[in-house]
């Protein structure tokens, strides 16, 4: 038995054989040797099984990738952005008009109107800041889920 057909040499080529990376000649060498050598044939079977289980553990990663793509889907992302803009624009318009009406039509003296305006403005500012924090927290949650 020459060095080309020794078990060690075959074992070194087995992973390439499994991945189909060997030349036709090399593949034939491995084939012929495994037909004669139970040890190498058994080793190859184990290697193939091992690779199969690695591919199985890779599968959940593919699912995660799909989930990530779904979350970052550009169409729904754009739609969400437009929707948010519409809602915010609507709310801002109503608030501006209400403030304008209040300022123009109120019979209160200017300092009372100013005080009420400040109270409303402060309350709104707090509300928006809380909303912003919630949204950021939600985004972080999504990110964590994807990273698992
Ligand atoms: Zn062998």
């Amino acid at each position: 038995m020459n060095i080309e057909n020794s078990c060690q040499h075959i074992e070194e080529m087995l992973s390439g054989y499994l991945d189909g990376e060997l030349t036709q000649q090399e593949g034939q060498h491995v084939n012929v040797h495994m037909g004669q050598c139970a040890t190498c044939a058994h080793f190859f079977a184990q290697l193939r099984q091992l690779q199969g289980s690695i591919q199985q553990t890779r599968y959940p990663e593919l699912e995660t990738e799909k989930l990530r793509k779904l979350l970052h889907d550009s169409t729904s992302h754009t739609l969400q952005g437009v929707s948010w803009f519409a809602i915010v624009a609507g709310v801002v318009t109503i608030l501006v008009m209400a403030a304008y009406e209040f300022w123009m039509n109120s019979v209160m003296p200017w300092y009372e109107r100013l005080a009420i305006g400040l109270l409303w403005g402060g309350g709104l500012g707090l509300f928006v800041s809380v909303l912003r924090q919630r949204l950021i927290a939600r985004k972080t949650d999504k990110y964590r889920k994807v990273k698992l």
Side-chain angles (χ1 to χ4, degrees):
M1 203 176 260
N2 64 36
I3 194 102
E4 286 260 90
N5 290 327
S6 73
C7 286
Q8 204 194 337
H9 182 71
I10 294 297
E11 278 175 21
E12 279 165 10
M13 292 203 294
L14 277 181
S15 76
Y17 179 76
L18 198 64
D19 296 331
E21 285 165 356
L22 299 186
T23 65
Q24 201 181 358
Q25 204 190 8
E26 284 171 327
Q28 254 164 5
H29 263 304
V30 174
N31 244 336
V32 168
H33 180 89
M34 282 199 298
Q36 299 163 342
C37 174
T39 312
C40 284
H42 182 68
F43 184 70
F44 176 69
Q46 279 184 320
L47 205 67
R48 192 164 56 182
Q49 211 173 14
L50 187 75
Q51 203 187 49
S53 67
I54 288 169
Q55 272 165 354
Q56 269 173 358
T57 58
R58 271 184 198 154
Y59 186 67
E61 275 177 41
L62 284 175
E63 286 298 301
T64 312
E65 185 68 12
K66 270 192 214 162
L67 186 71
R68 197 185 66 82
K69 274 190 183 147
L70 202 69
L71 286 175
H72 291 259
D73 174 62
S74 59
T75 308
S76 58
H77 209 76
T78 308
L79 199 66
Q80 270 182 9
V82 171
S83 303
W84 273 113
F85 179 76
I87 289 167
V88 169
V91 168
V92 166
T93 306
I94 288 167
L95 285 174
V96 167
M97 290 315 288
Y100 180 79
E101 288 281 311
F102 169 72
W103 193 263
M104 287 308 184
N105 299 331
S106 178
V107 290
M108 287 181 213
W110 69 269
Y111 55 86
E112 274 184 35
R113 281 180 281 174
L114 187 68
I116 288 171
L118 284 173
L119 285 174
W120 272 95
L124 197 71
L126 282 178
F127 175 74
V128 168
S129 76
V130 168
L131 197 71
R132 210 179 98 86
Q133 279 173 340
R134 288 272 166 85
L135 283 173
I136 289 167
R138 204 174 61 123
K139 265 187 192 167
T140 317
D141 280 351
K142 266 187 195 172
Y143 184 69
R144 264 194 222 119
K145 251 180 228 165
V146 170
K147 270 289 166 190
L148 273 176

